[in-house]
Structure formats: structure tokens, C-alpha cells
Amino acid sequence: MVRVAGSVRVAAAQFAVGEDREANLAAVLRAIDESAARGAELVVLPEFCNHLSWYRDRTHALREACRPADPFLTAVAQAAARHGMFVKLHVTLATEGVAPDRDDGMRITAASLLFGPDGALLARADKQTLMGSENDHLDPADTAGPVIDTPLGRFGLYSCMEGVINEVCRGLALRGAQVLLNSLNSFALDEASLHIPVRAAENKVWVVAANKIGPLIPESHLAAVSAGLGVPPEALHGAGESQIVRPDGSVAARAPRTGETVVVADIEPGIADDKRRPDGTDLFAARRPWLYGPIANEPRPPAPFPSERAGSVTAAVLRPSGRGEAALRDAVALVGRAAGDGARLIVLPELFLWPDGVVPGDGPDPSLTAAALDALAGALRGTGALVACTLPEAGVHTGFLLGADGPVLRVPQLHPSARHSGWAVEKAAPPLTHDAPWGRVALVVGDDALHPETFRLAALAGADTAAVCHTGTESWEHTLGLPERSAENRINVVAAGHGQGAIHALPADFGLWQSREGGFTGRISHPLTTAADGPLTLAAVHPDQAVRRLVSRRTDLVDGRPWRLAGALTAPDPGAPEPGSRTTPGSRTT
């Protein structure tokens, strides 16, 4: 491989880990040696390198955990120094301290450790959101992990479940991380296909992710765990596919599903400092932290839904043709068809009256907005359906949820967009949701769809379905972003865009430790996607599935977010230190 000038060669290593500590250490050292032999200056290793993530009890977990500067960690530090490289290791780590509901005077954490080229321990980041049985014997982080400024770039550390929701990676990127280092212990196929690459794309950073291969459960427990999880024994192996992902979500290098291996790629960390989309919008500058307060607040139940949510509702995504009055006539006809076919939620593309959703330079005609609202409402009479669309209103890019009698919800675009800056102004945010007879609908307007925080707020408000009117300018926005918004929030997403769109429905087969209607697909948290095809696309969504948020025992995708440590998401200056943060030399912290 020819090195690009100014680039950094990084590696992701995958291998099996068992219950033999010495064999596990040997696998770690082989991976470091192989990475160095291939010219890597940094290697990321899988999660729980010291022992299988399966313990009989707390005493067993404590016995198998590493201690600071013990022989296991010392050997890794020496290997880093021998090769003059950075090593990101993940282990269970026992230290003295007080942990909630524990009486042994110890904390056992799932710890990401970064060793420098001289063998020094540069940083530690404890796992903030534990997965399933990890909650039984391990303790979650009590501080946010640091961003480490190194000669190669600024690194942020996370592991596995922390990447299945957005807050940890978002916080690291907001505090300046250019490269996120992810250690995994997962048999889920949707890690490699969705949860890993989306964290790179939505934050415009690099991600280096290392997963395991081989059995993740001791042989003596395999049958019982298989039955309890609802996963066949042969699927309880690490899913591999360790990968290095570019800031646009594309994969620079990926390992196979099976086999011990190391993948390498040359990356340019400095690219991650540019957060602009093709239209010039800076994704981070466009954030509105003052709106995100509930994300960093203690979970509390949303307002109760007044009736029972429906098990299945037909949704429609439309693609009208033409512009102006011609587009309106086509949209009205398509709305009538969709409602006649039984659709109860119908979504039109962002600014559907204009091709590509861009209002011409002379600005919008106010009379066209009024005419469009009247015509669309008229198409709904006698149907009980709702239509979501966006139109200019008084200089604001506004989303409308319409019934037969007119708008039942108005929502302005909450985040600024360069492509609408010639005519649109910001406006204070009203409620995002409306209670239909069948479920609670959130309305997402334009580029608000780019921000994970928008959908998290909707989930915290109790929404089960999001109507999204958005035209993307980068492929990840619809292929990774919107599926992930559905998965991580347990929300059905019905999205329409110019030449884009899909219906992402919540599946009944979700998570672990529960019965399944169908066979195990390898996915744990991933929507059922129907891509838009033609002028009218219909598919069922499932509002009642939104209340099921436990991806595993004691791991709630929404209320289990690390809200206590999410201050970077709501801070006007995320790079400023906060009380209680861990600081290390050369680091930026919360």
C-alpha cells in the first residue's frame, strides 16, 4: 500500500477471545505485531480482550478483571513501546471506588485504554451504556471519556453499545475528536452495516472499529443463552467485519465476517475538521444546543397517549412531478390515490412545489402556499388521512401536518440551512408532535433530519412515528441516517425527498431475551425498510412497537442514554471542561 502524503496509517484487528487469559494476551500481541508489520501507527483492538464478557457472578468478574499496571496491561504497554505505536485496548478494569448497589469497595468498568508510542497510558474511557448482562456485574462510567490530542490527530474512545445510540460519539465529535476508536464484542450484523458507519457520517469523523470473531459465550452456557436470547447457537459468534470508515460514511477497509485478521487504511484526520455539506451548511454550527435540554435531563415519562396505539397503519411516500401549480396538481392527485388505498399518513418531499426542493432566487409566492394547503386538505376530505409537507410561510421554512380541515400541526425548520438562507429565517420551536387516532406523529422539517438530536427529542416526547420531509445532498443521509434514527429511537420513519425516500418500519423482532415471530436475521436493532419506488409507495408502519425500547435486559435505547454525561450536546461551547470530567495531559474534555 502506497502511503498518501500527510496521512496516518491505522489498523483494526479482529480475533477470538476466550476464558484463557494467556491465550487472550497472545492474540492481542499477535494483532499488535501484525499491525506494526503493515506500517500502522495506531491499532484498535476488540472489546473485552482479557476475558469473554460472561461471568458467573460479581466475584468471577472481579477475579478476571485487569488491574492498573498488571502483567496483562504491562505486556500491551511494552508492545506499544516496542513498535512505537498507539494501541487502543479494551478490557474489564477493577479499581478501588464506590459503585451504586455494590458493597465490595470496587468498581469494575468496561474500559477503553489508549497506550502511546512510549508505552505510557494516555487515556481511559469507561463505557457509559452497558449492554444486557454487562449490567449484572459491571459498573457504568461516572465521567465522560477524554478527547486525546496526539501528533497523529485527536482521538475519542468508545465501545460497542455506545455506538448503537448517538450521544457518546456525538459528544466526542463536538469536543473535537477527529478519529473515533470503537472496540466491539458483537454478533449483530447491523453493527457493520449501520451503527458503525453512521457515526462517522453524521459527525463527519473517521471511525476505526474492531470486532471479535469466534464464540462470545462459553460452550457450557451456549444452549441456555441461545434459547434465552432467541438467537441460534451458530449466530453467537463475533460478527467480524472490522472496518475503517471515512467521514462520509463510506468504508475504506473492511475485514471478512470470519477469520483472525488485521485491516489497514491510510486516513487524513484533518479532513474531519470540515463539517460542511455540499450546499455549504456547517453541520455543527447549525446545531441548536438550547433546544436539546431534555436529552441531558433525567428520563421521565412523556405525556400519555390518549388511546391504544395501532398495531399497523399504512403510510405513503409521494413523488409528484413538475413545479409550481403543475406539481400541486400532481400532488393532490397522488394524495387522493394514497388516501383511497388506505394510507393514513402521507408524506410529500421537502418544498415539493419546486424541483430539488430549492426555492428560486426571487423568493416564494405567498399565495401558492395558501393554495397548496387548501388543495391538499380538500384531497383528504372523507378519508381520515394526514398529509405532511413543507412550504414557505411568512419567510419561514415550515412543516405542515394537514387533515381534511387544514393544518393540525405547524413546525418551523429548527436548524439553519445554507440552501434556504436566501429567503428563510429562524423561528422559535413549537411542539413537534400531534396525536392522531392511531399514534403520536412527529414532524421533521428539511435539514432537521440531519441532526440526531431532532429525533431524540421526538422520542422523548413519546412519538412513535416521524413524518420526514427532507431532500438529502449526501447519500448517507437517507441510506444510513434515517434508518439509524428509526433504530436508535424506536420510531417509525416515513421519509420523502426529491428522488429519494423510504418507509422505515419498526419490526416486531427486535432486541434480545425475547421470543421472535420469525427467524433470527442477524440484526438486533434495525428497521424494515421499503425504498420509495415511483410516484407512490405504500407500506405498513407499526406504532405500537415504539413502546418496546429494551434492546437487551436493562438496556433501554432511549431512557438508557447516558444523560448524566451528555453535557457536550447541550453546551454552547462543548470544548469547555465541565465539573466531574476526567482530564489527561494533552486532552480536551467535557
Side-chain angles (χ1 to χ4, degrees), residues 2 139 147 182 190 205 333 353 389 416 435 471 482 525 551 573 588:
V2 177
D139 305 306
V147 171
N182 181 14
D190 43 330
V205 296
L353 296 178
C389 66
D435 284 354
T471 296
L482 291 177
S525 180
V551 69
D573 179 10
R588 298 150 60 102

Side-chain angles (χ1 to χ4, degrees), residues 508-536:
D509 289 341
F510 155 71
L512 302 172
W513 297 106
Q514 54 196 296
S515 61
R516 294 179 175 273
E517 295 181 0
F520 182 64
T521 64
R523 294 174 169 182
I524 293 176
S525 180
H526 196 293
L528 301 171
T529 296
T530 302
D533 182 17
L536 168 61

Side-chain angles (χ1 to χ4, degrees), residues 16 72 174 178 247 256 263 287 307 372 396 404 466 502 533 563 585:
F72 193 102
L174 288 169
Q178 299 166 316
V263 293
R287 295 178 69 256
S307 60
V396 176
D533 182 17
W563 57 272

Side-chain angles (χ1 to χ4, degrees), residues 201-212:
E202 70 194 13
N203 294 300
K204 291 194 174 295
V205 296
W206 299 87
V207 171
V208 185
N211 197 7
K212 281 182 181 168

Side-chain angles (χ1 to χ4, degrees), residues 349-370:
E350 173 185 4
L351 295 168
F352 69 96
L353 296 178
W354 293 273
D356 300 322
V358 178
V359 175
D362 55 355
D365 178 357
S367 65
L368 195 55
T369 293

